[in-house]
């Protein structure tokens, strides 16, 4: 530090000291009028000590700032600091005088004591902070590490104390609640660890795999997802089929035992079919109570077309109108349902046939009823049922390159990501 800087420092300290002494004298004079002699001496000593400590801290701070500044800036800074300190001291003195004039004697003493204590505490905190900064600046690297270790040890001790407190609180809980809390905490920690491990494994695997292997892995994942979805759909479909069977059995059990008005017509139709097509042509026949008592015929797949032809061209029956044809996937098999009507008999009949689900093939009824054309194309398009000898069997709703049949219970889109 240069001689000029020493001189400036001394001047600043002298000015601050003189100012503090003047302020102390003024306060002493004001208090002398109201306080007894002993109290006045104590107040003077406290005020003088506080002012001295404050002035010393301010001088130290200004000297430090001055040491870092160039000479020209130092003079301006000194002037600004002196002016600011002067203005601040004047404002403080004015405020204290005003408060002293307004307060009663007892309150004034308390206020002075509080102000002195606050000034002292502030000066002590500032001195402590500066001491720490100087100590940190002077400490070699090894000592800094020790300080860090101490801080870490303190943090660890604090964490241990917190854990101890939590353990104590847990010990006070009833046994049942504690077990549930432990189980929940353990389950949450386990799930979190599993998720993290899974994520890390995926990232490591992805980082290690070349691009070709990554594509294969994606394809495998997609195939696995598709297989899983198919299995879930199959299980769901099986459960649904089981429920439907249970409902049907329940409904059959609840079916009234009264003879249907269409029973005689069903007997007539069955008798005619067995006489002309054969005894084993029909697998089953019954009155469908859930569909307006329609006589229903369940055909053998081999005799399906023969029975349909007999119903169409027999003069007594004459089922000339095909009103409906559709297919259904029952998981265990496919089924074709045909609804026919005879204007001559004023009677409807349903013809059913069960098909193998893996290879559902059946003769087309278009040669008998032209109205079967589009319904058979629709069953082919959505269920994959093949009607041979159909004049133009094609997909009418989906494109020819479409993969799969959407009305099948185990249908999965070709592109699983869509």
């Amino acid at each position: 530090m240069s001689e000029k800087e020493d001189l400036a420092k001394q001047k600043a300290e002298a000015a601050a000291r003189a100012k503090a002494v003047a302020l102390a004298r003024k306060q002493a004079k004001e208090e002398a009028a109201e306080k007894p002699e002993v109290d006045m001496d104590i107040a003077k000593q406290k005020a003088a000590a506080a002012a001295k400590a404050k002035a010393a801290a301010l001088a130290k701070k200004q000297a430090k700032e001055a040491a870092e500044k160039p000479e020209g800036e130092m003079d301006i800074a000194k002037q600004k600091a002196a002016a600011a300190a002067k203005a601040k001291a004047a404002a403080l003195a004015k405020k204290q005088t005003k408060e002293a004039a307004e307060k009663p004697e007892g309150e004034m003493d308390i206020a002075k004591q509080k102000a002195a204590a606050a000034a002292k505490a502030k000066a002590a905190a500032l001195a402590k902070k500066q001491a720490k900064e100087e100590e940190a600046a002077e400490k070699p690297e090894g000592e800094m590490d020790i300080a860090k270790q101490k801080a870490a040890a303190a943090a660890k001790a604090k964490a241990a104390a917190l854990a101890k407190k939590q353990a104590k609180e847990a010990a006070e809980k009833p046994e049942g609640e504690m077990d549930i809390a432990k189980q929940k905490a353990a389950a949450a920690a386990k799930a979190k660890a599993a998720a993290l491990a899974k994520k890390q494994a995926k990232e490591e695997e992805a980082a290690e795999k070349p691009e070709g292997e990554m594509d294969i892995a994606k394809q495998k994942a997609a195939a696995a997802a598709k297989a899983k979805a198919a299995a879930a759909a199959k299980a769901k479909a099986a459960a649904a089929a089981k429920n439907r069977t249970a409902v049907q059995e329940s409904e059959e059990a609840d079916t009234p035992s009264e003879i249907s008005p269409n029973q005689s017509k069903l007997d007539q139709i069955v008798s005619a079919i067995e006489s002309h097509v054969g005894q084993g042509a029909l697998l089953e026949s019954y009155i469908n109570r859930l569909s307006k008592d329609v006589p229903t015929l369940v055909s053998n797949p081999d005799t399906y077309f023969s029975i349909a032809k007999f119903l169409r061209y027999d003069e007594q029956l004459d089922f000339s109108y095909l009103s409906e044809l559709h297919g259904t996937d029952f998981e265990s098999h496919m089924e074709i349902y045909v609804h026919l009507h005879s204007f001559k008999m004023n009677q409807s009949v349903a013809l059913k046939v069960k098909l193998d689900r893996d290879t559902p093939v059946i003769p087309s009824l278009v040669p008998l009823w032209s109205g079967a054309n589009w319904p058979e194309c629709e069953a082919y398009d959505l269920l994959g049922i093949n009607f041979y000898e159909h004049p133009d069997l094609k997909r009418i709703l989906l494109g020819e390159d479409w993969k799969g049949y959407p009305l099948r219970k185990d249908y999965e889109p070709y592109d699983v990501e869509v």
Side-chain angles (χ1 to χ4, degrees):
M1 189 181 288
S2 66
E3 291 180 4
K4 286 183 181 180
E5 287 174 352
D6 291 337
L7 185 60
K9 186 178 178 182
Q10 290 169 10
K11 282 180 181 179
E13 287 176 354
R17 199 176 290 113
K19 191 174 180 183
V21 170
L23 181 61
R25 280 178 184 173
K26 187 177 179 183
Q27 288 175 347
K29 280 180 185 179
E30 289 171 354
E31 292 168 3
E34 296 170 5
K35 285 190 175 182
E37 194 173 343
V38 179
D39 289 347
M40 205 167 74
D41 290 338
I42 295 166
K44 278 181 184 178
Q45 288 169 11
K46 286 183 179 177
K52 193 174 180 182
K54 193 171 182 182
L58 181 62
K60 194 172 182 181
K61 185 179 178 186
Q62 288 172 348
K64 192 176 180 183
E65 290 174 355
E68 295 171 355
K69 288 184 181 177
E71 194 174 344
E73 287 183 16
M74 216 165 76
D75 294 337
I76 296 164
K78 281 177 188 174
Q79 291 169 9
K80 285 184 179 178
K86 193 174 181 181
K88 192 173 181 181
L92 181 63
K94 193 174 181 181
K95 186 180 178 184
Q96 287 174 347
T97 305
K98 190 176 180 183
E99 288 174 353
E102 292 171 356
K103 284 184 181 178
E105 191 174 343
E107 288 184 15
M108 214 165 79
D109 292 340
I110 294 165
K112 281 179 183 176
Q113 288 169 12
K114 284 183 179 177
K120 193 174 180 182
K122 193 173 180 182
L126 182 61
K128 194 174 181 181
K129 186 180 177 184
Q130 288 174 348
K132 278 186 180 177
E133 288 173 355
E134 287 168 6
E135 189 180 350
E138 290 169 3
K139 275 186 184 177
E141 193 174 346
E143 288 184 18
M144 283 291 283
D145 292 338
I146 292 165
K148 283 181 183 175
Q149 288 170 8
K150 284 182 179 178
K156 194 174 180 181
K158 194 174 179 182
L162 181 62
K164 193 173 181 182
K165 187 182 175 184
Q166 288 174 345
K168 192 177 179 182
E169 289 173 358
E172 291 171 359
K173 283 185 179 179
E175 193 174 344
E177 287 183 19
M178 210 164 77
D179 292 341
I180 293 164
K182 281 181 183 176
Q183 289 170 9
K184 284 183 179 177
K190 194 173 179 182
K192 195 172 181 183
L196 182 62
K198 195 174 181 181
K199 187 181 178 184
Q200 288 174 346
K202 279 185 181 177
E203 288 172 356
E204 287 170 6
E205 190 179 352
E208 290 170 4
K209 284 184 180 178
E211 193 174 345
E213 288 183 18
M214 282 287 284
D215 292 338
I216 294 165
K218 281 182 183 177
Q219 289 171 6
K220 283 182 178 177
K226 192 174 180 182
K228 192 175 179 181
K234 195 170 183 180
K236 191 177 179 182
K242 192 175 180 182
N243 289 338
R244 278 199 296 272
T245 304
V247 169
Q248 285 177 357
E249 287 175 356
S250 174
E251 286 170 350
E252 286 172 6
D254 295 338
T255 302
S257 57
E258 294 178 5
I259 297 172
S260 169
N262 291 331
Q263 185 63 49
S264 59
K265 292 182 179 178
L266 174 62
D267 294 340
Q268 179 188 348
I269 295 167
V270 169
S271 177
I273 290 171
E274 288 178 347
S275 299
H276 292 81
V277 181
Q279 288 291 329
L282 291 173
L283 297 177
E284 188 183 357
S285 62
Y286 58 91
I287 297 293
N288 191 343
R289 298 280 188 176
L290 301 177
S291 182
K292 299 180 181 179
D293 283 13
V294 174
T296 302
L297 311 171
V298 181
S299 167
N300 191 315
D302 296 333
T303 57
Y304 168 72
F305 186 80
S306 301
I307 292 171
K309 187 176 180 181
F310 176 74
L311 294 173
R312 170 68 181 89
Y313 292 114
D314 182 77
E315 292 182 0
Q316 299 298 321
L317 303 178
D318 192 22
F319 287 95
S320 59
Y321 178 61
L322 184 146
S323 61
E324 184 182 356
L325 185 151
H326 66 261
T328 307
D329 180 10
F330 283 95
E331 290 91 44
S332 57
H333 64 278
M334 292 286 183
E335 185 177 277
I336 296 293
Y337 177 93
V338 183
H339 193 89
L340 305 170
H341 186 76
S342 170
F343 294 100
K344 189 172 185 178
M345 292 180 67
N346 191 23
Q347 179 61 45
S348 294
V349 70
L351 176 62
K352 289 184 179 182
V353 60
K354 295 179 181 180
L355 306 175
D356 179 62
R357 194 172 183 277
D358 296 328
T359 54
V361 180
I362 200 73
S364 172
L365 298 184
V366 175
L368 306 177
W369 295 277
S370 58
N373 189 337
W374 282 72
E376 288 183 349
C377 286
E378 184 181 38
Y380 165 73
D381 191 5
L382 302 177
L383 288 162
I385 299 172
N386 189 12
F387 297 88
Y388 65 85
E389 294 185 6
H390 188 284
D392 186 22
L393 191 64
K394 61 184 178 181
R395 303 194 93 147
I396 58 173
L397 298 174
L398 306 172
E400 289 295 334
D401 58 345
W402 188 274
K403 305 291 183 183
Y405 304 100
L407 285 188
R408 286 199 177 206
K409 299 295 171 63
D410 58 354
Y411 171 72
E412 286 295 325
Y414 177 69
D415 188 353
V416 293
E417 295 179 1
V418 174

